Amino acid sequence: MSSPLLSGAFLRTSGYYVAFFGAMGVYLPFWPLWLKDWGLSEAEIGAYTSAGIVMRLLAGLALPVMADRLEARRLTLAAVGAAGAALFVLHLVAGAPWALLALTMLTAGVFSAMMPIGDALGAAAARSFGFEYAHARAMGSASFLAMNVAMGGALALLGADAALWAIVGCLAASAWLGGTHPGGGKVQGATPPSLREMRRLAVSPLFVIFALASGFAQASHGVQYVYASVHWRELGVSAETIGLLWAFGVLVEVGLMILFGPALIRRLGAPGAIALAGAAGAVRWTAMTFDPTGPLLWALQGTHALSFAAAHLGSIAFIQAAAPERLAGAAQAVMQVLGSGVLMAGASALAAVVYPDYGGGAWWIAAAMSTAALLLALELR
């Protein structure tokens, strides 16, 4: 019997994650630098990033729900990925701040829509073809890492537009791979979910507590995504080292997912994994308020394996256990909209107010969110 890790389904699922998180591996650490080189101030970068909340909410919830209702997850993923590639190309002709703001809001919707649909398809493929979700998802994290390393040097040599073209290429590839995703078949014997069923799931007390716990754990990274690269550069960290720092954080994330991911969920359960992420995040972000550099900064980046990866695996495991497969896209959407949408935008907006005057003090926002995630996960457990 052939190994599930060598199956076509695993390779195609992994390929999608490689393409999508390749785009994210450029967008999260380096897009703020593109915006700064375009001419935005630090405060404007935070404001522009948080301004996409409306589109994140609309696209991140409406498109996955529509994909579930129409049983068209693959088609939706392909269409959104292709649209995203085109929108980033249009940044080259954004000559006015209002045009750049409009494109920033639209591209925020692209990532927030693709994330829950891709995770629903990935979990479905893992169930159907017998491989571990964590192993396929780890390939995406490895791609994120590789782009961190590559783009640090590329930006130094080619300028900020290298980031734009890398995002365009990765989104185009994810559109093609998403359109043929092995997890996109119709659920056997299932009827399309009704809006009433989706609403009943989303407002159930257990799911609300879960969504808040997962959301705070994810959103605590909002300050990191918006200001880490800018702040580290202000502290004297080179562009190449910034790329390596991001890559190191993802490297330990990949190691956790491949070596310990399934065992972590079996041992702690979904709520326990999210609680672990909240505790690790509270320590990580509190330490970051002291503006560490050198070995301590590298050590804190290493805790990304717990503050992010443990929360993500716990969230996927909870949805697999608590939501029917035909509702998985909608359940992922609610979780992502709250975490990567509302709470993440709130963290970004608050950081935009705090960072210009207090610099590294903005990390206290993240520390408070991780603490909330810990307390809610303990209640969920």
Side-chain angles (χ1 to χ4, degrees), residues 6-319:
L6 298 178
S7 68
F10 174 79
L11 295 176
R12 286 155 58 200
T13 301
S14 299
Y16 168 77
Y17 278 128
V18 167
F20 177 72
F21 282 99
M24 293 291 284
V26 181
Y27 180 76
L28 290 179
F30 296 112
W31 195 245
L33 299 182
W34 191 94
L35 293 174
K36 186 172 179 61
D37 287 351
W38 189 90
L40 297 184
S41 67
E42 284 83 358
E44 287 171 331
I45 291 172
Y48 273 50
T49 302
S50 61
I53 181 173
V54 174
M55 188 56 65
R56 286 190 191 124
L57 289 172
L58 292 177
L61 186 59
L63 291 178
V65 167
M66 181 192 72
D68 274 7
R69 287 279 294 148
L70 300 178
E71 295 184 312
R73 292 176 185 170
R74 286 186 291 203
L75 177 60
T76 305
L77 201 57
V80 175
L87 287 170
F88 273 100
V89 171
L90 289 177
H91 278 76
L92 295 171
V93 294
W98 67 263
L100 183 63
L101 176 60
L103 289 170
T104 299
M105 295 174 68
L106 290 171
T107 51
V110 168
F111 288 112
S112 65
M114 293 181 74
M115 184 77 78
I117 299 174
D119 278 338
L121 290 175
R127 283 193 301 268
S128 298
F129 296 97
F131 59 83
E132 293 284 355
Y133 166 84
H135 293 161
R137 176 60 176 77
M139 297 302 102
S141 296
S143 175
F144 189 102
L145 182 155
M147 294 304 288
N148 288 167
V149 175
M151 292 310 300
L155 263 66
L157 291 174
L158 304 174
D161 280 349
L164 184 148
W165 286 113
I167 293 171
V168 169
C170 288
L171 283 178
S174 68
W176 176 65
L177 291 163
T180 59
H181 201 293
K186 181 177 180 180
V187 179
Q188 187 67 31
T191 58
S194 67
L195 294 177
R196 182 180 180 183
E197 288 177 292
M198 294 178 179
R199 184 169 58 251
R200 187 163 58 233
L201 172 69
V203 301
S204 64
L206 185 67
F207 191 83
V208 169
I209 295 173
F210 153 72
L212 286 171
S214 174
F216 276 118
Q218 292 183 55
S220 71
H221 296 77
V223 180
Q224 173 93 349
Y225 295 153
V226 177
Y227 282 119
S229 295
V230 173
H231 188 59
W232 291 339
R233 189 160 69 174
E234 292 295 324
L235 294 176
V237 181
S238 68
E240 292 84 354
T241 302
I242 290 172
L244 291 173
L245 281 164
W246 282 89
F248 177 66
V250 181
L251 178 63
V252 293
E253 173 191 325
V254 172
L256 176 73
M257 287 188 173
I258 292 178
L259 299 176
F260 308 109
L264 178 71
I265 297 301
R266 286 194 296 268
R267 183 66 180 269
L268 298 180
I274 298 173
L276 175 62
V283 173
R284 177 186 185 184
W285 308 128
T286 297
M288 288 293 288
T289 65
F290 295 97
D291 290 344
T293 57
L296 180 56
L297 179 57
W298 286 88
L300 291 173
Q301 276 296 95
T303 63
H304 189 72
L306 297 178
S307 68
F308 175 80
H312 178 75
L313 293 178
S315 300
I316 295 296
F318 184 91
I319 288 177

